Amino acid sequence: MFDFLDVYPWLLPVIIFFGRVIDVSLGTLRIIFVSKGEKYKAPLIGFVEVFIWVVVISQILSRANDMVAYLSYAAGYATGNYVGILLENRIAYGIILCRIYTQKNGRDLVQSLNKLNIGATMTHGTGSTNEVDIIETVVDRKEMKTLERTLNDFDNNIFYVVEDVRTKQNGIFPKRRTVLTRWRTGK
């Protein structure tokens, strides 16, 4: 399969490096999909990930006998971690719960969020120094930047925490704008 490496042995470290970058990046995505319960996407990505790894490791074991190949393997692994994190941030897959604490009138914030088609629930609480309004909202991770801008425009001293959510049900959620749709409705 890699007979051309006998003629161009300098390509081996390049193939090893880029193979590891792709392999490790896919591993990062696979872990994300496993943690989100994506039982169809995770195994498919895992198959491709392991296939690439087996091809790369077989070339290392059969041809690589110099430090450059070993260093390209390690560098590919490190770069793959970095690229995987960038990909994860770029696709922003999943759902988050944002819990917001403000000393301003929380009803105004809830109305602002509703205008953005973001459902929110408000409760009143007592903080360590003052009364606060606590607003909770569940949004897609892709909407977090819009939410952050809205929160900072509303109150530049606002405090919020963000948590990952695995599933959601029975709320006021905007319709998803997806290119791919399922064949049937979910359970």
Side-chain angles (χ1 to χ4, degrees), residues 46-66:
F47 175 83
V48 175
E49 172 195 3
V50 168
F51 180 78
I52 292 169
W53 182 83
V54 166
V55 169
V56 168
I57 203 71
S58 70
Q59 292 308 305
I60 287 176
L61 294 175
S62 66
R63 287 191 167 86
N65 54 8
D66 62 349

Side-chain angles (χ1 to χ4, degrees), residues 88-105:
E88 195 274 335
N89 287 332
R90 180 80 176 166
I91 65 171
Y93 187 80
I95 306 163
I96 57 169
L97 165 67
C98 186
R99 191 171 297 117
I100 306 151
Y101 302 86
T102 183
Q103 293 179 3
K104 292 188 175 183
N105 187 353

Side-chain angles (χ1 to χ4, degrees), residues 35-164:
S35 70
K36 302 294 182 190
E38 292 288 342
K39 58 187 171 187
Y40 300 114
K41 293 176 186 173
L44 181 63
I45 290 174
F47 175 83
V48 175
E49 172 195 3
V50 168
F51 180 78
I52 292 169
W53 182 83
V54 166
V55 169
V56 168
I57 203 71
S58 70
Q59 292 308 305
I60 287 176
L61 294 175
S62 66
R63 287 191 167 86
N65 54 8
D66 62 349
M67 189 57 74
V68 174
Y70 303 143
L71 289 174
S72 66
Y73 185 87
Y77 182 83
T79 305
N81 280 301
Y82 181 76
V83 170
I85 291 169
L86 291 178
L87 283 172
E88 195 274 335
N89 287 332
R90 180 80 176 166
I91 65 171
Y93 187 80
I95 306 163
I96 57 169
L97 165 67
C98 186
R99 191 171 297 117
I100 306 151
Y101 302 86
T102 183
Q103 293 179 3
K104 292 188 175 183
N105 187 353
R107 290 176 196 217
D108 295 338
L109 179 58
V110 169
Q111 288 174 352
S112 296
L113 294 174
N114 287 336
K115 287 178 186 172
L116 294 172
N117 203 19
I118 297 174
T121 302
M122 185 185 85
T123 58
H124 191 70
T126 304
S128 61
T129 59
N130 266 335
E131 302 283 315
V132 294
D133 284 336
I134 304 164
I135 297 99
E136 291 186 348
T137 184
V138 177
V139 296
D140 287 334
R141 279 193 59 214
K142 291 178 179 164
E143 303 297 323
M144 188 60 203
K145 293 222 185 291
T146 304
L147 182 60
E148 282 178 337
R149 278 193 301 274
T150 304
L151 296 178
N152 289 324
D153 288 344
F154 176 77
D155 180 0
N156 56 2
N157 283 331
I158 203 158
F159 173 74
Y160 58 90
V161 292
V162 177
E163 302 174 38
D164 277 333

Side-chain angles (χ1 to χ4, degrees), residues 19-29 49 76-81 84:
R20 283 305 284 167
V21 169
I22 294 168
D23 158 34
V24 175
S25 298
L26 288 174
T28 302
L29 294 177
E49 172 195 3
Y77 182 83
T79 305
N81 280 301

Side-chain angles (χ1 to χ4, degrees), residues 2-13 15 59 63:
F2 288 97
D3 293 335
F4 65 91
L5 290 175
D6 294 332
V7 178
Y8 306 106
W10 56 270
L11 278 176
L12 181 61
I15 291 171
Q59 292 308 305
R63 287 191 167 86

